[in-house]
Amino acid sequence: MSNVKPLFGRFSGPPPISLPRILLILLLIVLAWTSYYTIPAESEGIVLRFGKYILKVPPGLHFKLPFGIDNVIEVPTQRQLKLEFGLVTPGYTHPDQVGKEPEKEKSMVTGDLNAALVEWVVQYRITEPETYLFAVRNPGLTLRDLSESVMREVVGDRTVDEIITIGRQEIEESVLDRLRELAGRYRLGVSVNQVQLKNVNPPEPVQPSFNEVNRAQQDRENAINLANGEYNKAVPRARGEADQKIRAAEGYRFKRINEAEGDAAAFSAVLEQYIKAPEITRARLYLETLGDVLPEAKQSIIVDESVQQILPMLPLPARLPEEK
């Protein structure tokens, strides 16, 4: 029985995978995984080779050297970023957007030695990503410090009434100009687009008094606006009426001048004819005058001075026509 050979060979499974083959497969996977990257539409990529800046790439799919030789940093160059001082917007994603101590950031002293609580927002955009990453250490924090320093400087040169009421726009423009200058001097690689004051309030113990002042200022502005509106309605109307009367007077003046010149021309023409034929001209003028006067005359009795009595004129009409 021991010499009997089996009809079929012994069953054998697939050959085992060797360790070098496993390592090769893993190496290929890591190679493929680390050889490409994608930059979002609102960002640009900064490529570092062994930690040294190589180039800047636009959004899209790109390839790089694998195994950590090339590293890529995404910088949101097309996104409008902002820094908030004294307030916190829920759901923020930018780490530099909110400060660590908002209450201390908004507490300031004005030029007239009064206290004020100033909340503001700085909006900016990263325009030079390589400068933003490598020229200054922690550029976001540097921009926050510059913004707070400039705002305190500007607020310290103005009274509390200017900050709360009429000086807000001027403060925003001054801070924006100064902040742009400092951002360029420190080579932050950003463009500061807007500085906007949000809530500017006095400290809580004196806030009711300041609210009364604000209401009085608003009432004053409303009264001035109403007066200006009435002025703008009354003055143009008076000027229009004056122009109308002046033009009417000018028209009447030209009319009288033309009539006088026409009468003078007519008189000159009659005088010329009178010099040529005085009697005829006199008779013609007499008859023309009677033709104009008699139709306007009422019933009249003309008595010649040679008549001795009025009886030859009788009988008179029994009843004169009534005057109309």
Side-chain angles (χ1 to χ4, degrees), residues 40-102:
E42 62 181 8
S43 302
E44 291 182 354
I46 300 299
V47 181
L48 305 178
R49 183 164 298 167
F50 295 114
K52 181 180 179 181
Y53 169 71
I54 298 299
L55 76 159
K56 178 175 64 176
V57 295
L61 178 64
H62 303 277
F63 295 93
K64 63 176 182 174
L65 296 179
F67 306 115
I69 299 175
D70 287 350
N71 290 322
V72 181
I73 302 176
E74 296 180 5
V75 182
T77 56
Q78 302 301 322
R79 187 189 305 171
Q80 187 80 9
L81 305 176
K82 67 178 180 178
L83 303 176
E84 296 178 339
F85 299 87
L87 67 158
V88 177
T89 300
Y92 67 91
T93 58
H94 187 51
D96 297 325
Q97 178 173 333
V98 177
K100 297 180 180 179
E101 296 178 326

Side-chain angles (χ1 to χ4, degrees), residues 179-190:
L179 196 55
R180 284 176 175 174
E181 177 187 355
L182 293 177
R185 182 185 302 178
Y186 282 88
R187 299 182 65 240
L188 297 180
V190 300

Side-chain angles (χ1 to χ4, degrees), residues 283-304:
R284 180 174 64 80
L285 292 175
Y286 179 75
L287 294 176
E288 290 176 355
T289 303
L290 287 180
D292 295 335
V293 173
L294 288 180
E296 303 294 332
K298 300 178 182 179
Q299 184 178 4
S300 303
I301 299 176
I302 302 175
V303 180
D304 190 82

Side-chain angles (χ1 to χ4, degrees), residues 26-32 34-35 64-71:
L26 293 177
L27 182 63
L28 292 176
I29 293 175
V30 174
L31 176 65
T34 59
S35 295
K64 63 176 182 174
L65 296 179
F67 306 115
I69 299 175
D70 287 350
N71 290 322

Side-chain angles (χ1 to χ4, degrees), residues 41-285:
E42 62 181 8
S43 302
E44 291 182 354
I46 300 299
V47 181
L48 305 178
R49 183 164 298 167
F50 295 114
K52 181 180 179 181
Y53 169 71
I54 298 299
L55 76 159
K56 178 175 64 176
V57 295
L61 178 64
H62 303 277
F63 295 93
K64 63 176 182 174
L65 296 179
F67 306 115
I69 299 175
D70 287 350
N71 290 322
V72 181
I73 302 176
E74 296 180 5
V75 182
T77 56
Q78 302 301 322
R79 187 189 305 171
Q80 187 80 9
L81 305 176
K82 67 178 180 178
L83 303 176
E84 296 178 339
F85 299 87
L87 67 158
V88 177
T89 300
Y92 67 91
T93 58
H94 187 51
D96 297 325
Q97 178 173 333
V98 177
K100 297 180 180 179
E101 296 178 326
E103 293 297 328
K104 291 184 178 180
E105 287 178 343
K106 67 181 180 179
S107 180
M108 299 186 184
V109 178
T110 62
D112 54 355
L113 301 181
N114 285 310
L117 304 178
V118 182
E119 299 176 358
W120 77 98
V121 173
V122 176
Q123 295 183 357
Y124 69 98
R125 190 170 61 88
I126 301 174
T127 55
E128 301 176 10
E130 62 276 16
T131 304
Y132 180 81
L133 292 176
F134 306 119
V136 177
R137 180 179 298 176
N138 202 343
L141 183 59
T142 302
L143 185 59
R144 286 195 64 89
D145 294 339
L146 288 176
S147 302
E148 184 176 355
S149 175
V150 171
M151 181 61 73
R152 291 185 182 277
E153 177 184 355
V154 174
V155 169
D157 291 337
R158 286 162 176 79
T159 64
V160 66
D161 292 334
E162 292 177 339
I163 298 171
I164 295 177
T165 56
I166 61 175
R168 296 172 61 95
Q169 183 176 359
E170 183 182 355
I171 292 173
E172 292 174 351
E173 293 176 355
S174 300
V175 173
L176 179 60
D177 294 339
R178 180 64 174 162
L179 196 55
R180 284 176 175 174
E181 177 187 355
L182 293 177
R185 182 185 302 178
Y186 282 88
R187 299 182 65 240
L188 297 180
V190 300
S191 174
V192 182
N193 299 325
Q194 186 180 17
V195 175
Q196 184 179 9
L197 288 177
K198 291 296 186 179
N199 297 322
V200 182
N201 298 313
E204 294 184 0
V206 296
Q207 193 165 354
S209 300
F210 274 92
N211 292 336
E212 292 293 333
V213 174
N214 289 335
R215 282 193 290 269
Q217 291 284 350
Q218 294 175 358
D219 294 341
R220 176 177 174 271
E221 294 295 331
N222 291 334
I224 292 175
N225 292 333
L226 291 175
N228 289 331
E230 293 297 329
Y231 173 84
N232 293 330
K233 289 192 298 184
V235 172
R237 182 171 60 248
R239 289 175 178 172
E241 294 175 354
D243 292 338
Q244 182 179 3
K245 291 182 179 180
I246 291 173
R247 291 174 183 174
E250 291 290 336
Y252 180 75
R253 180 174 71 89
F254 287 120
K255 176 184 176 183
R256 295 298 298 167
I257 291 174
N258 294 333
E259 289 178 353
E261 291 177 351
D263 294 341
F267 182 80
S268 299
V270 172
L271 178 61
E272 183 180 357
Q273 298 298 324
Y274 182 81
I275 294 174
K276 294 179 180 179
E279 295 298 332
I280 297 175
T281 303
R282 185 182 299 112
R284 180 174 64 80
L285 292 175

